Amino acid sequence: MINLILFGPPGSGKGTQAALLVERYQLVHISTGDLFRNEIGNNTPLGLQAKAYMSKGELVPDAITIGMLRNKVETHPEARGFIFDGFPRTIAQAEALNQLLEEEGTQVHALLALQVDDHEIIKRIKLRGQTSGRSDDMDEKVIQNRIDVYKNETTPVFDFYAHLGKSHRVEGIGSVPEIFDRLCHLIDAIDQRSALRIH
Ligand code: B4P
């Protein structure tokens, strides 16, 4: 089993790359952003709560996010591994994920951090905002807040896994296939080193 965290600032390409990695390695993809958007689309109480935070570019509170993630993981006992996309975004979420995976007899094997500068991120998100219908992609103030929240609340998660020797930086600028290749090289090296046998 291999469990990977796809990490990086908003709009760094986590969702884009996760979709390709899932195909290549046959892992279960869990995107907390997608799960929240799904709840919002279905007008559920959880969706209503999440919407209030997401529309401002704030993080949804840990208790809500962790509960939702746990439910999702538990619906996939057959998984040969997970790609966590957009989770964990706080130290509390990272600690909860470690505990959850420990209960399942497994662990986080690597955090892959896409490196993309602010200028490129803002360009990408605004471009997506023209078609995504996502209110958090359209307002430059909200986009800037998402970047600030990432820097203040989420970057400590990189250090949390770096202390465990599990954080890796990956250049996130380039074409989608180029970045995919970089990620695959890294994952294959981690696989070989730890004899996880994901192929
Ligand atoms: P997310 O859904 O995680 O949104 P994101 O960070 O914008 O997405 P991502 O990095 O996946 O970008 P993508 O591949 O789409 O979070 C949204 C909100 O949900 C958060 O702000 C927060 O409120 C809430 N939330 C989610 N998880 C949470 C958690 N754990 N705790 C609390 N709150 C949480 O790429 C972006 C764009 O770039 C796309 O248009 C894509 O086509 C383009 N692109 C991708 N790769 C490219 C490349 N190589 N070159 C050029 N363009 C590229």
Side-chain angles (χ1 to χ4, degrees):
M1 190 169 198
I2 185 164
N3 299 303
L4 304 171
I5 295 170
L6 210 46
F7 192 77
S12 55
K14 300 182 293 287
T16 305
Q17 295 297 331
L20 300 170
L21 291 170
V22 161
E23 283 240 334
R24 163 77 61 100
Y25 296 106
Q26 305 293 304
L27 302 172
V28 173
H29 176 209
I30 300 185
S31 155
T32 39
D34 287 350
L35 291 175
F36 285 134
R37 280 185 287 278
N38 196 29
E39 297 285 340
I40 292 170
N42 290 326
N43 272 318
T44 64
L46 196 158
L48 282 176
Q49 275 182 295
K51 192 176 177 180
Y53 297 95
M54 290 171 76
S55 60
K56 288 186 272 182
E58 302 289 338
L59 293 182
V60 180
D62 285 335
I64 300 175
T65 309
I66 292 166
M68 180 181 73
L69 189 280
R70 178 177 273 274
N71 286 342
K72 191 71 187 170
V73 168
E74 286 173 354
T75 57
H76 288 284
E78 81 299 344
R80 52 198 302 266
F82 291 93
I83 294 189
F84 297 101
D85 159 6
F87 184 95
R89 268 173 150 101
T90 62
I91 296 292
Q93 291 181 15
E95 285 169 344
L97 181 62
N98 275 3
Q99 193 191 326
L100 169 61
L101 293 178
E102 211 175 291
E103 284 165 25
E104 305 284 328
T106 184
Q107 58 174 302
V108 168
H109 293 95
L111 175 149
L112 312 172
L114 293 169
Q115 308 290 297
V116 183
D117 60 72
D118 291 4
H119 176 76
E120 172 73 12
I121 285 168
I122 293 169
K123 197 174 85 186
R124 286 185 193 179
I125 295 180
K126 280 169 83 179
L127 190 67
R128 180 173 64 183
Q130 293 171 10
T131 53
S132 68
R134 280 176 58 173
S135 62
D136 63 341
D137 282 351
M138 292 178 208
D139 182 331
E140 192 149 345
K141 271 203 211 118
V142 174
I143 299 172
Q144 190 56 54
N145 193 37
R146 288 164 66 190
I147 294 172
D148 294 345
V149 166
Y150 172 78
K151 287 179 181 162
N152 297 330
E153 298 182 44
T154 302
T155 51
V157 173
F158 181 92
D159 300 330
F160 177 91
Y161 287 101
H163 284 132
L164 303 171
K166 293 180 176 180
S167 290
H168 306 266
R169 290 192 170 85
V170 179
E171 176 58 57
I173 306 245
S175 71
V176 170
E178 278 166 358
I179 298 163
F180 180 58
D181 272 354
R182 288 174 201 147
L183 287 167
C184 290
H185 275 118
L186 191 53
I187 294 169
D188 291 344
I190 293 164
D191 179 35
Q192 279 201 336
R193 221 176 33 230
S194 1
L196 294 165
R197 295 188 195 89
I198 52 173
H199 286 289

